[in-house]
């Protein structure tokens, strides 16, 4: 089954409502910025590259009804949309990258008539989606070389189709290895608190015919200790110039466990997730989310005494020292990261 997370259809953003999975594959049509902001906030759409695409299309929603013909008013409207989308979630670099890309293309074309600029913005937003489809396949091709036949991979959160347009980063590596005829077994961490592993990764891997077994997050060490895991592959929300990588909370635990058990720990992400303006992971803003995500199961059933204190950071940062390699759409990057990230990201092709 072909699954597409986000698209532009009938003048609206069409996306899979990820809060409904795995019970129901339902789509959401969004025609205004407020609803897009809400969809990002409550994670109807989520995952760094999908957020980049949502941001691009959202920028178009923000300006498409601008009635004027003057650049200054138009650019104020554009900046307002940019600030609004940027306020939805802080950590994924791709969200900001998508916004910046649209602002840049608009600025570069500011001499054009406003209807033409609107067209250019929409076409750039569509280009972001097309590029992601290609990038993820390149990540898959680069990463699959690291997996031997009959490997068992552990993953966390969802860095698959549902976090991108239609292929995935970490899970893209698994899909590619499978396409190459390798037998790959996957363990998916359920990923508390919002269970993206259980609800999303297990669902899509299952749809794609991958041999997947779900585990509670705290089962990972036991599996590694028993020699069951050959590699861990996770996605990333933002990668600093030195390779420090932010990803779903719990990723750091896995990286530390991998170090102890001498298991390769890989981060898979496109160039658009890298933030070379920040030197290291200390500068990555970690989103803090509401207590109910932890104190209730899926925001519904209480599992803790009413009013209990809760801490709910959505991401953690894995220091580059714990990362065996970064699997990107330009190639596999190994240490020294600071030097090699710059060098390899400049390449046009995956090698
Ligand atoms: O809070 P989420 O579900 O948006 O977090 C997503 C992740 O941490 C993903 O692993 C990451 O964005 C990589 S997606 C290819």
């Amino acid at each position: 089954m072909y699954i597409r997370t986000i698209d532009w259809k009938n003048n609206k953003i069409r996306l899979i409502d990820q809060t409904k999975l795995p019970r129901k594959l339902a789509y959401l049509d969004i025609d205004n910025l407020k609803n897009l902001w809400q969809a990002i906030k409550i994670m109807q759409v989520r995952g760094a590259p999908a957020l980049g695409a949502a941001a691009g299309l959202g920028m178009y929603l923000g300006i498409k009804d601008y009635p004027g013909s003057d650049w200054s008013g138009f650019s104020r409207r554009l900046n307002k949309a940019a600030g609004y989308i940027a306020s939805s979630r802080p950590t994924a670099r791709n969200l900001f990258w998508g916004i910046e890309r649209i602002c840049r293309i608009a600025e570069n074309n500011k001499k054009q008539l406003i209807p033409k600029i609107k067209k250019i913005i929409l076409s750039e937003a569509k280009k972001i989606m097309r590029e992601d489809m290609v990038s993820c396949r390149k990540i898959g091709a680069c990463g699959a070389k690291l997996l031997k036949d009959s490997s068992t991979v552990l993953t966390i959160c969802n860095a698959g189709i549902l976090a991108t347009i239609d292929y995935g980063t970490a899970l893209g590596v698994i899909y590619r290895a499978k396409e190459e005829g390798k037998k790959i077994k996957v363990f998916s961490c359920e990923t508390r608190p919002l269970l993206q592993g259980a609800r999303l990764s297990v669902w899509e891997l299952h749809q794609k015919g991958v041999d997947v077994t779900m585990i509670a997050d705290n089962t990972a060490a036991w599996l590694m200790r028993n020699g069951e895991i050959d590699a861990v592959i996770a996605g990333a929300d933002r990668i600093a110039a030195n390779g420090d990588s932010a990803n779903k909370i719990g990723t750091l635990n896995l990286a530390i466990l991998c170090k102890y058990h001498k298991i390769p720990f890989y981060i898979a992400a496109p160039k658009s997730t890298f933030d070379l303006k920040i030197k290291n992971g200390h500068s990555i803003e970690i989103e803090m989310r509401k207590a109910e995500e932890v104190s209730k199961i899926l925001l519904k059933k209480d599992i803790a005494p009413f009013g209990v204190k809760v801490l709910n950071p959505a991401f953690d940062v894995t220091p580059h020292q714990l990362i065996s390699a970064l699997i990107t759409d330009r190639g596999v990057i190994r240490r020294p990261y600071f030097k090699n990230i710059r060098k390899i990201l400049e390449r046009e092709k995956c090698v």
Side-chain angles (χ1 to χ4, degrees):
M1 174 171 120
Y2 178 73
I3 305 162
R4 178 155 177 149
T5 303
I6 179 163
D7 205 352
W8 180 253
K9 284 246 180 308
N10 305 324
N11 242 5
K12 292 178 185 142
I13 302 177
R14 164 156 281 206
L15 48 87
I16 294 179
D17 180 349
Q18 301 196 24
T19 60
K20 298 276 192 300
L21 287 169
R23 279 173 294 115
K24 202 160 94 183
L25 176 58
Y27 291 85
L28 202 62
D29 288 322
I30 295 182
D31 65 359
N32 69 76
L33 208 46
K34 204 163 157 227
N35 289 355
L36 178 71
W37 190 94
Q38 186 65 10
I40 295 173
K41 189 75 185 169
I42 66 169
M43 298 198 200
Q44 286 171 310
V45 60
R46 45 143 302 282
L51 291 179
L57 292 169
M59 289 293 283
Y60 178 69
L61 287 183
I63 52 87
K64 77 177 169 57
D65 296 325
Y66 180 71
S69 56
D70 59 313
W71 165 254
S72 64
F74 182 81
S75 103
R76 271 200 302 282
R77 175 76 73 95
L78 194 69
N79 289 333
K80 199 167 156 205
Y84 186 54
I85 298 170
S87 71
S88 58
R89 296 190 74 190
T91 306
R93 168 65 193 142
N94 306 58
L95 182 96
F96 301 86
W97 168 87
I99 295 169
E100 287 160 19
R101 194 164 149 169
I102 298 295
C103 288
R104 204 161 42 241
I105 196 104
E107 179 70 30
N108 290 346
N109 287 280
K110 66 180 179 193
K111 298 256 156 52
Q112 308 277 358
L113 296 174
I114 297 299
K116 176 85 197 262
I117 303 177
K118 288 182 183 177
K119 268 195 187 155
I120 291 171
I121 287 176
L122 179 58
S123 114
E124 188 72 3
K126 289 180 180 169
K127 198 167 160 206
I128 290 176
M129 291 193 284
R130 285 199 305 278
E131 284 179 10
D132 179 76
M133 294 160 83
V134 175
S135 285
C136 285
R137 282 164 178 81
K138 286 182 178 170
I139 291 170
C142 293
K145 292 187 189 135
L146 302 171
L147 297 181
K148 290 200 191 93
D149 191 19
S150 302
S151 296
T152 300
V153 175
L154 176 70
T155 190
I156 182 168
C157 194
N158 173 270
I161 295 169
L162 293 165
T164 61
I165 307 301
D166 74 343
Y167 200 74
T169 55
L171 298 192
V173 172
I174 287 154
Y175 295 138
R176 174 61 186 248
K178 187 170 184 287
E179 282 158 29
E180 289 174 2
K182 292 176 188 164
K183 256 181 104 176
I184 306 289
K185 209 171 133 182
V186 178
F187 281 99
S188 171
C189 291
E190 60 177 347
T191 319
R192 276 282 286 149
L194 287 180
L195 305 171
Q196 288 94 328
R199 292 185 300 112
L200 308 176
S201 294
V202 171
W203 178 80
E204 67 163 82
L205 287 163
H206 202 68
Q207 297 292 323
K208 291 286 171 190
V210 175
D211 177 354
V212 56
T213 304
M214 174 183 148
I215 56 164
D217 296 333
N218 43 10
T219 303
W222 181 82
L223 275 176
M224 291 185 187
R225 181 83 175 154
N226 289 344
E228 298 274 347
I229 305 296
D230 297 305
V232 169
I233 313 181
D237 285 83
R238 193 181 288 252
I239 304 175
N242 70 345
D244 292 353
S245 299
N247 193 52
K248 181 53 56 193
I249 190 79
T251 305
L252 172 59
N253 301 26
L254 295 178
I256 294 168
L257 288 175
C258 280
K259 181 85 177 169
Y260 181 81
H261 292 100
K262 300 189 172 47
I263 295 167
F265 175 87
Y266 301 118
I267 290 286
K271 186 177 175 181
S272 48
T273 302
F274 285 77
D275 187 353
L276 301 188
K277 288 194 295 309
I278 57 167
K279 274 205 238 129
N280 58 52
H282 296 297
S283 313
I284 299 177
E285 184 181 345
I286 300 295
E287 176 185 11
M288 301 304 279
R289 292 186 61 91
K290 58 182 181 184
E292 289 74 16
E293 291 181 352
V294 175
S295 62
K296 297 177 195 261
I297 291 287
L298 292 180
L299 297 162
K300 287 195 184 93
K301 194 174 166 34
D302 276 309
I303 54 167
F306 179 74
V308 71
K309 281 204 283 182
V310 168
L311 185 70
N312 185 17
F315 303 97
D316 55 29
V317 176
T318 300
H320 62 95
Q321 294 89 340
L322 297 179
I323 300 171
S324 311
L326 297 161
I327 306 168
T328 78
D329 44 349
R330 308 299 151 119
V332 173
I333 309 180
R334 294 192 186 268
R335 295 184 192 96
Y337 286 120
F338 190 81
K339 179 170 146 246
N340 288 341
I341 284 173
R342 282 182 186 275
K343 196 170 102 193
I344 293 177
L345 288 188
E346 291 318 311
R347 283 181 190 161
E348 276 313 303
K349 290 197 188 106
C350 167
V351 285

